[in-house]
Amino acid sequence: MNVDLDIKDFALKNNRKFRLEELLVSLFNSKVEYSLMSVHNAIQKMVAKKQLVKVGDDVYEIAESQKNGFRTEDSLAEKKLYSFLKQSFPFAQLCAWNVKELAYFTQHVPMVNFVIIEAEKDVVDAVADRLNEPDKRIVLKNPSLETMEYFSSSKKIIVVKNLVSQGPLDKTDELNAPRLEKILVDILCDNEFYFLRGMETVYVYQKAFDLYDINVKALKRYASRRNKLKEVESLLANIA
């Protein structure tokens, strides 16, 4: 749940401007539960950050220049996994995130919740073996489409796959995570994103570009590395 993003989404659907009453009705009729106080506080903070502009009595408009850079949520679970693996593979390039963060970008897809660990090809097997040690985990290494569909309802899934070199990453000491440009290409390539097909993918791209500042050059460069440049260019043309 992210009330800031839901407010922005509502504004964009209403030509960037909205009345507070209309926003509250929309939010309270949705499946997401926000308190009245949390919505008011979010609006005040967004106005203070100049993400929203108050243009009348309880009327707000999203600032034209305001698009945030996307970063995956640095949850404790992913940080722990990343730290756990770094102890065993201190020199390996790793990346970790949870696909539940894609739920906000989708329209009809049910909630998905599993972790993706990407590692350099020469250590993928070792990383998967290391993660397999606790009995309660289900570790899927470069899974097939059939495998992903079979385990889709299972809990505590970790997908381990090859990390494509020179992919767009956000790097910190605590966690390396994919940038949105990388995610938008990977969903076209990899079996773990089996739940995104057809118009759902178009919807993801549209919402991503509506809400976030995306480096198109980086997106196309990575798409070219993954042999998906034509598909990405077609999607960009559809959402223009």
Side-chain angles (χ1 to χ4, degrees):
M1 294 190 304
N2 189 315
V3 65
D4 292 30
L5 290 181
D6 282 332
I7 291 170
K8 286 183 180 181
D9 189 38
F10 183 79
L12 290 167
K13 289 177 180 177
N14 289 273
N15 297 317
R16 310 187 69 87
K17 187 183 295 185
F18 64 90
R19 291 185 175 277
L20 178 59
E21 182 179 358
E22 295 169 346
L23 170 68
L24 293 174
V25 170
S26 175
L27 292 180
F28 295 155
N29 285 338
S30 69
K31 295 179 180 179
V32 181
E33 295 182 1
Y34 294 123
S35 69
L36 184 61
M37 181 65 71
S38 68
V39 176
H40 278 288
N41 288 342
I43 288 176
Q44 290 176 9
K45 289 179 181 178
M46 292 172 75
V47 170
K49 293 177 181 178
K50 298 183 180 179
Q51 295 172 350
L52 288 178
V53 179
K54 189 171 184 178
V55 294
D57 291 338
D58 288 337
V59 180
Y60 298 87
E61 185 173 11
I62 191 169
E64 184 66 33
S65 62
Q66 289 301 313
K67 282 190 178 180
N68 293 338
F70 174 85
R71 179 167 175 83
T72 59
E73 180 182 345
D74 292 347
S75 74
L76 185 59
E78 280 74 68
K79 285 182 178 179
K80 283 184 175 180
L81 269 179
Y82 185 82
S83 176
F84 170 73
L85 290 172
K86 270 298 185 181
Q87 291 175 15
S88 299
F89 310 98
F91 302 110
Q93 179 84 289
L94 302 171
C95 171
W97 67 294
N98 193 310
V99 298
K100 67 182 179 182
E101 297 188 48
L102 279 174
Y104 184 78
F105 294 97
T106 62
Q107 189 173 25
H108 301 299
V109 173
M111 184 64 176
V112 288
N113 186 353
F114 58 87
V115 174
I116 293 179
I117 302 289
E118 297 179 65
E120 293 169 298
K121 188 176 181 179
D122 58 349
V123 296
V124 163
D125 289 343
V127 167
D129 290 342
R130 188 78 175 93
L131 290 171
N132 255 321
E133 292 176 7
D135 295 334
K136 294 182 179 180
R137 290 175 179 155
I138 299 174
V139 180
L140 308 177
K141 185 182 68 176
N142 292 320
S144 66
L145 177 60
E146 293 76 14
T147 299
M148 284 305 307
E149 290 176 337
Y150 180 80
F151 284 101
S152 60
S153 61
S154 302
K155 296 181 179 180
K156 296 188 178 180
I157 289 178
I158 300 177
V159 171
V160 180
K161 66 177 187 178
N162 299 341
L163 178 65
V164 177
S165 63
Q166 300 180 35
L169 298 176
D170 275 323
K171 299 180 179 181
T172 69
D173 292 337
E174 293 185 310
L175 181 71
N176 285 354
R179 286 170 49 189
L180 190 51
E181 293 87 353
K182 173 174 163 56
I183 293 171
L184 289 174
V185 175
D186 286 346
I187 65 175
L188 304 175
C189 307
D190 299 329
N191 293 324
E192 60 268 23
F193 303 110
Y194 66 95
F195 52 90
L196 296 175
R197 294 292 182 268
M199 287 306 297
E200 197 67 52
T201 304
V202 178
Y203 188 84
V204 170
Y205 267 69
Q206 183 68 67
K207 200 155 189 180
F209 272 83
D210 282 346
L211 295 176
Y212 291 102
D213 183 18
I214 295 173
N215 186 326
V216 176
K217 287 185 179 180
L219 175 71
K220 290 185 176 181
R221 185 165 55 247
Y222 182 62
S224 181
R225 288 190 62 78
R226 302 219 62 185
N227 297 315
K228 290 293 180 179
L229 182 57
K230 288 184 178 179
E231 289 90 331
V232 166
E233 289 179 335
S234 177
L235 282 162
L236 295 182
N238 283 333
I239 67 173

